Amino acid sequence: MQGPAFGKIAVFGVGLIGGSFALALKKAGAVREVAGVGRSAASLDKARELGIIDTACARPEEAVRGADLILVAAPVAQTQAILASILPHLDAGTIVTDAGSTKCDVVAAARAALGERVAQFVPGHPIAGREQNGPEAAIVDLYTGKKAVLTPLPENAPADVERVAEAWRLCGAIIHRLAPEDHDRVFAAVSHLPHLLAYALVDDIARKPHADLLFQYAASGFRDFTRIAGSSPEMWRDISLANQAALLGELDAYMARLVQLRGLLAEANGAGIEAVYANAQHARHNWIRTIEAAEKQNRQGGD
Amino acid sequence: MQGPAFGKIAVFGVGLIGGSFALALKKAGAVREVAGVGRSAASLDKARELGIIDTACARPEEAVRGADLILVAAPVAQTQAILASILPHLDAGTIVTDAGSTKCDVVAAARAALGERVAQFVPGHPIAGREQNGPEAAIVDLYTGKKAVLTPLPENAPADVERVAEAWRLCGAIIHRLAPEDHDRVFAAVSHLPHLLAYALVDDIARKPHADLLFQYAASGFRDFTRIAGSSPEMWRDISLANQAALLGELDAYMARLVQLRGLLAEANGAGIEAVYANAQHARHNWIRTIEAAEKQNRQGGD
């Protein structure tokens, strides 16, 4: 009889991302034991209560020793400290990965913390999320049909990269690979900038003297537009800072576009405004068609 | 036996907004006959096929004569021309209303087109929408539990305003009243600006040389943030122009906030960034709690 794909895994951060990873691997029968490490005892207790982890570890070494795979699923600014706490107890055969939304800073943190043993660290980023946080937000199918992007290092053994890919595939994810720099540029545009814009809009409205009246008439369009402004401020502060250069570049490009569009509006250039709106609508329709076709294919190809 | 609340109603524009209005009144048994007028014969045929309208009228007079209530549900820039086409055939007892997303310009158009008979025009705006358009997008419960804002004129008879309110209540909507100027300022902030921002973001990304790569990794956060960029470019061009002054004011306030936030990011001011994000998250959570409580109350209070 074949055993589970993984023996013991350790998850640093037992919230939405780490918790959903553990739940999915457990459901797939792909893991013998999940050890959890977290900043708060209450989160760890809750995660154990919810069946996300088997063992709540107060100290990193309890979780790290004997683990096949370690997932770091904490705000990216904590990556270096967490990896440094892991290093003294890290077995030679253990693979470490992460789920951070930025990769250049995570790679730099891993090199600083792990030195030569950075070869054991395979950087990753599952493209999935919800605006809720914490163990209660973890769900078994968070990664089903979603992309997991790996940004392997030159030092990584191909077999180790494949092990991490296997874990995400067992969670239902589809594996993609990018260079860390490409990853960060792409996500600055399609994820980090929209988060910043949504936070800025809600903050702007909330500070107006007639904010209550405004919120009273905000409807479903506003709700969807600002959904991502419900995300963890700490996590997104870290992401914004970690991807500062790329995010500033995208923000500047966007503000330049807004200034252009403001000019069209100020001169009541209806044709110019419609051209921008129509180009956006067209591009978005094409994009939705493409992802819907891909989702259909995934469902048909899945087992 | 009591008859339906309305005999004949005429709907100018048989798409999402006008079509859903007609469907809801029909389902409520509140109307004897629905006459439809539209720019395209294909849309009118489709609306009749879908049971939205009973009569497809090639000329306004066929629809207007003998109508108890006329709804103008077309892009706001067409309001004046439509009202002018209605006037020669308008019975003294017929009430006219509209569903435009802006009200100051609609009021001005109504005064210009109808002259003294503007007393028969009660401006309105149902706060409901989907990103699809056309008769196929019309649904019977679009307005259920949604707000319908009326911005009555000093000339309106209270009984006429109440008739329009009754029609929207029969569609399941909850009636609010605002002055036209307040309406336009509120919706510039919570609806028109987010639409402009979403269109600008998708347009910006679509014009980049690596747009395909970017769209490949855009995920659910991007999807929700940009949902409103799937809306009709023509309709939103008209709204942007109609509410130009208020929208420019909101856009300028928002760009000033972005410039501030850019400064915090450029100086890597983590505490400052987190304060903005946290204020937004907090305000949005409170808002969501409030609307969920209101929705619950509506469900319990409904019949």
Side-chain angles (χ1 to χ4, degrees), chain A residues 224 227 237 252 262 274, chain B residues 224 227 237 252 262:
Chain A
D224 287 352
R227 181 178 67 77
R237 173 203 67 192
D252 287 346
R262 192 204 182 283
E274 189 177 357
Chain B
D224 288 352
R227 181 178 67 78
R237 173 203 67 194
D252 288 345
R262 191 204 182 280

Side-chain angles (χ1 to χ4, degrees), chain B residues 78-162:
Chain B
Q78 297 169 35
T79 307
Q80 187 167 339
I82 290 172
L83 292 177
S85 78
I86 287 172
L87 179 64
H89 319 289
L90 186 63
D91 295 338
T94 303
I95 305 166
V96 187
T97 187
D98 81 309
S101 297
T102 51
K103 295 274 66 79
C104 290
D105 69 306
V106 162
V107 169
R111 290 192 189 285
L114 301 177
E116 278 182 7
R117 297 189 66 186
V118 79
Q120 288 174 250
F121 180 74
V122 180
H125 175 203
I127 315 305
R130 307 171 67 197
E131 73 271 33
Q132 293 96 332
N133 309 301
E136 300 90 340
I139 50 177
V140 71
D141 60 352
L142 183 66
Y143 303 115
T144 308
K146 300 300 193 313
K147 296 182 177 72
V149 181
L150 304 184
T151 64
L153 305 176
E155 294 92 334
N156 291 150
D160 288 355
V161 178
E162 182 45 41

Side-chain angles (χ1 to χ4, degrees), chain A residues 127 129 131 133 147 149 176-178 185-187 189-190 193-194 196-208 213-234 236-237 240-241 244 247-248 250-255 257-259 261-262 265-271 273-281 283-285 287-288 291-292 295, chain B residues 127 129 131 133 147 149 176-178 185-187 189-190 193-194 196-208 213-234 236-237 240-241 244 247-248 250-255 257-259 261-262 265-271 273-281 283-285 287-288 291-292 295:
Chain A
I127 315 306
E131 72 271 34
N133 308 301
K147 296 183 179 70
V149 181
H176 287 242
R177 292 187 187 209
L178 286 172
R185 272 194 294 266
V186 165
F187 287 95
V190 301
L193 177 63
L196 184 150
L197 298 177
Y199 279 127
L201 183 71
V202 182
D203 177 63
D204 186 42
I205 288 179
R207 285 171 196 274
K208 288 180 196 278
L213 181 70
L214 296 176
F215 280 122
Q216 192 188 343
Y217 290 101
S220 62
F222 184 85
R223 189 174 186 155
D224 287 352
F225 184 90
T226 62
R227 181 178 67 77
I228 49 184
S231 310
S232 157
E234 180 191 15
W236 284 92
R237 173 203 67 192
S240 301
L241 293 172
Q244 185 197 38
L247 181 52
L248 282 173
E250 293 301 329
L251 178 56
D252 287 346
Y254 181 71
M255 289 200 291
R257 181 76 56 195
L258 281 189
V259 168
L261 192 48
R262 192 204 182 283
L265 182 58
E267 69 191 24
N269 184 335
I273 293 169
E274 189 177 357
V276 172
Y277 291 3
N279 185 50
Q281 186 205 37
R284 190 175 186 281
H285 280 188
W287 173 62
I288 292 284
I291 55 175
E292 281 175 352
E295 278 167 7
Chain B
I127 315 305
E131 73 271 33
N133 309 301
K147 296 182 177 72
V149 181
H176 286 241
R177 292 187 185 208
L178 285 172
R185 272 195 293 267
V186 165
F187 287 93
V190 300
L193 178 63
L196 183 150
L197 298 177
Y199 279 127
L201 183 73
V202 181
D203 177 64
D204 185 43
I205 288 179
R207 285 171 196 274
K208 289 181 196 276
L213 181 70
L214 296 176
F215 280 122
Q216 192 188 342
Y217 289 101
S220 62
F222 184 85
R223 189 174 186 155
D224 288 352
F225 184 89
T226 63
R227 181 178 67 78
I228 50 184
S231 310
S232 157
E234 180 192 15
W236 284 93
R237 173 203 67 194
S240 302
L241 293 172
Q244 186 197 38
L247 181 53
L248 282 173
E250 293 301 329
L251 178 56
D252 288 345
Y254 181 71
M255 288 200 292
R257 181 76 56 194
L258 280 189
V259 169
L261 192 49
R262 191 204 182 280
L265 182 58
E267 68 190 25
N269 184 337
I273 294 169
E274 190 177 355
V276 172
Y277 291 3
N279 185 49
Q281 187 206 35
R284 190 175 185 282
H285 280 188
W287 173 61
I288 293 284
I291 54 175
E292 281 174 353
E295 278 167 8

Side-chain angles (χ1 to χ4, degrees), chain A residues 76-273:
Chain A
V76 286
Q78 297 168 34
T79 308
Q80 187 167 338
I82 290 172
L83 292 177
S85 78
I86 287 171
L87 179 62
H89 320 287
L90 187 62
D91 294 339
T94 304
I95 305 166
V96 187
T97 187
D98 82 307
S101 297
T102 51
K103 295 273 68 79
C104 290
D105 69 307
V106 162
V107 169
R111 289 192 190 286
L114 301 176
E116 280 184 5
R117 300 189 64 186
V118 79
Q120 289 174 249
F121 180 75
V122 180
H125 175 203
I127 315 306
R130 309 169 69 196
E131 72 271 34
Q132 293 96 333
N133 308 301
E136 299 90 339
I139 49 176
V140 71
D141 61 351
L142 183 68
Y143 304 115
T144 307
K146 300 299 194 312
K147 296 183 179 70
V149 181
L150 304 184
T151 64
L153 305 174
E155 293 93 332
N156 292 148
D160 288 354
V161 178
E162 183 44 42
R163 278 290 267 174
V164 174
E166 186 189 4
W168 285 113
R169 268 190 222 106
L170 286 163
C171 294
I174 300 147
I175 307 301
H176 287 242
R177 292 187 187 209
L178 286 172
E181 300 73 25
D182 291 339
H183 171 281
D184 286 0
R185 272 194 294 266
V186 165
F187 287 95
V190 301
S191 171
H192 308 169
L193 177 63
H195 276 80
L196 184 150
L197 298 177
Y199 279 127
L201 183 71
V202 182
D203 177 63
D204 186 42
I205 288 179
R207 285 171 196 274
K208 288 180 196 278
H210 56 312
D212 286 351
L213 181 70
L214 296 176
F215 280 122
Q216 192 188 343
Y217 290 101
S220 62
F222 184 85
R223 189 174 186 155
D224 287 352
F225 184 90
T226 62
R227 181 178 67 77
I228 49 184
S231 310
S232 157
E234 180 191 15
M235 176 179 155
W236 284 92
R237 173 203 67 192
D238 282 2
I239 291 170
S240 301
L241 293 172
N243 204 15
Q244 185 197 38
L247 181 52
L248 282 173
E250 293 301 329
L251 178 56
D252 287 346
Y254 181 71
M255 289 200 291
R257 181 76 56 195
L258 281 189
V259 168
Q260 283 178 356
L261 192 48
R262 192 204 182 283
L264 296 173
L265 182 58
E267 69 191 24
N269 184 335
I273 293 169

